Amino acid sequence: MTLERIHPVEKTHICEGIYENYIVKSSEILLQYELYANTANIYLPCGYYTNFRDALFHFRKLASSYEEKEIECQAFAIKEHLSRALTDAASSVMDNISFIAERLLKDENINDIQKQKTREMLHKMKQANFRKRFSGMMLSNDGIKIGHEDMLGLIDSFFEFANNNCKEEFAKYSHEYQQV
């Protein structure tokens, strides 16, 4: 059995593509999740960090290999670890802010109009979180998939709503989540 070696120029293009289209883009999205997590006192799970670290480990292996099959395997591993890191971060932030939204619905200081808006946003966030988790199990079903841009948009809308309508209560319940 002979292993096919890849031309160095082609390998360079593959490495650059993986780095720019997956590692850099994923790190930018992960940074946004981290910023939201810091705002709401959310601790991101260690799986988020270890999966990103593992993606970098596989990138190093990809960059040092010249065998076509090995490069394909390492590229797949990079994408898989980055997908897991993104999903862990998204789910963690969504779970936490859904908890906060549920507490806001029970708060007597929140008026009925604000509760209705909170309820609508909570429903959208839970549905998005479910779709994100479920799409990881159904790789071929594009109908259920939701992008991180959409997830971040929902989080941003909720933060904006809370900042404009109930920031003291939001702060109180974001601290409370860590104690549950």
Side-chain angles (χ1 to χ4, degrees), residues 24-110:
V24 171
K25 286 183 181 180
S26 294
S27 69
E28 290 169 350
I29 294 169
L30 290 169
L31 179 59
Q32 290 178 296
Y33 283 124
E34 275 190 348
L35 292 172
Y36 284 124
N38 290 337
T39 300
N41 289 327
I42 298 168
Y43 295 102
L44 293 174
C46 64
Y48 149 68
Y49 298 103
T50 57
N51 273 305
F52 189 77
R53 178 207 60 205
D54 290 349
L56 296 177
F57 168 78
H58 286 287
F59 183 75
R60 190 174 79 191
K61 285 180 74 174
L62 177 141
S64 65
S65 180
Y66 284 94
E67 296 169 0
E68 190 173 355
K69 195 65 165 168
E70 179 65 16
I71 289 173
E72 289 173 10
C73 290
Q74 295 307 320
F76 180 82
I78 292 165
K79 294 172 189 176
E80 181 65 24
H81 281 293
L82 292 173
S83 175
R84 288 180 189 167
L86 288 164
T87 299
D88 285 351
S91 293
S92 182
V93 172
M94 282 292 200
D95 284 344
N96 282 265
I97 64 173
S98 292
F99 170 87
I100 295 167
E102 288 169 352
R103 290 300 194 264
L104 291 173
L105 289 173
K106 296 175 184 175
D107 193 302
E108 293 175 6
N109 295 323
I110 307 296

